[in-house]
């Protein structure tokens, strides 16, 4: 990103990995079958790991590196949705973790993120949005309405404080959804 300090981005990416690791560990301890996939997105999205066990997913997250680029959230949602099987009755959840920046590559049409989210939700996928801004405590206030619209329940988890209460809010939201009947 032009004008963004590389060290700030790498430090923030470490926070993203820490949050993702804590969520996978928490859900991994639940006494139900579960699988996780990892999709990394910047200007484009790439599948890092298809549906895998808790242990494999934790290993994958630990090996992720910051790639830089703009935020192509639409591509990230689409790539996540591709990893989820529409033929099962299992819950399908996308936890979209982003820095909250809304700059997208020029080739991504306006409204693409909302369209990708609507398509995933129409296929029965529940979307959680989690903001981990690079310069806490400065959340990109313009991002809140956008990510509220793509979230399945309108809620945006804000990891600005980077403290345990922020992690617990995300965990509680996920656990409430996972433990409730479809």
């Amino acid at each position: 990103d032009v004008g963004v300090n590389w060290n700030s981005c790498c430090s923030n990416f470490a926070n993203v990995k820490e949050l993702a690791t804590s969520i996978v560990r928490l859900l991994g301890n639940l006494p139900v079958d579960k699988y996780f996939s990892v999709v990394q997105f910047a200007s484009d999205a790439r599948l890092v790991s298809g549906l895998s066990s808790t242990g494999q997913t934790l290993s994958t997250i630990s090996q992720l590196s910051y790639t830089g680029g703009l935020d192509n959230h639409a591509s990230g949602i689409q790539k996540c949705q591709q990893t989820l099987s529409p033929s099962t009755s299992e819950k399908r959840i996308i936890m979209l973790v982003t820095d909250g920046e809304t700059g997208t590559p020029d080739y991504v049409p306006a409204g693409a993120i909302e369209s990708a989210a609507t398509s995933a939700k129409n296929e029965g996928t529940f979307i959680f949005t989690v903001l981990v801004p690079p310069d806490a405590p400065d959340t990109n206030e313009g991002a809140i309405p956008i990510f509220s619209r793509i979230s399945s329940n309108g809620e945006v988890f804000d990891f600005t404080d980077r403290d345990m209460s922020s992690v617990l809010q995300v965990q509680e939201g996920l656990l409430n959804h996972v433990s409730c009947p479809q």
Side-chain angles (χ1 to χ4, degrees):
D1 293 338
V2 176
V4 176
N5 181 305
W6 185 264
N7 289 332
S8 172
C9 291
C10 292
S11 172
N12 193 55
F13 189 68
N15 291 327
V16 168
K17 287 173 56 172
E18 179 184 337
L19 175 66
T21 296
S22 71
I23 296 299
V24 170
R25 278 194 182 120
L26 173 79
L27 295 176
N29 288 330
L30 294 176
V32 296
D33 289 338
K34 68 267 177 202
Y35 300 95
F36 307 90
S37 59
V38 177
V39 171
Q40 187 172 18
F41 67 94
S43 296
D44 294 300
R46 72 179 180 96
L47 177 64
V48 180
S49 171
L51 293 176
S52 304
S53 68
T54 301
Q56 179 60 43
T57 302
L58 291 171
S59 176
T60 299
I61 292 170
S62 73
Q63 296 173 37
L64 291 174
S65 298
Y66 178 73
T67 60
L70 296 175
D71 292 327
N72 189 345
H73 297 98
S75 182
I77 291 169
Q78 291 164 341
K79 190 65 74 175
C80 287
Q81 187 65 22
Q82 291 170 6
T83 71
L84 303 173
S85 174
S87 63
T88 69
S89 62
E90 297 170 344
K91 291 188 179 188
R92 293 178 300 278
I93 299 171
I94 292 175
M95 185 175 77
L96 181 71
V97 182
T98 177
D99 61 8
E101 297 300 321
T102 55
T104 57
D106 290 339
Y107 53 85
V108 177
I113 185 173
E114 290 90 348
S115 177
T118 298
S119 177
K121 290 185 278 189
N122 286 342
E123 292 181 34
T125 299
F126 196 93
I127 300 176
F128 283 90
T129 54
V130 182
L131 302 183
V132 184
D135 299 314
D138 298 324
T139 296
N140 177 352
E141 294 300 326
I144 301 292
I146 293 169
F147 293 106
S148 179
R149 286 192 304 273
I150 67 167
S151 170
S152 290
N153 62 1
E155 190 169 7
V156 178
F157 294 96
D158 190 347
F159 196 60
T160 300
D161 296 335
R162 292 184 171 83
D163 63 12
M164 197 47 136
S165 67
S166 297
V167 174
L168 293 174
Q169 287 177 337
V170 175
Q171 290 176 341
E172 183 178 308
L174 281 167
L175 283 175
N176 285 338
H177 182 72
V178 169
S179 62
C180 292
Q182 294 219 27

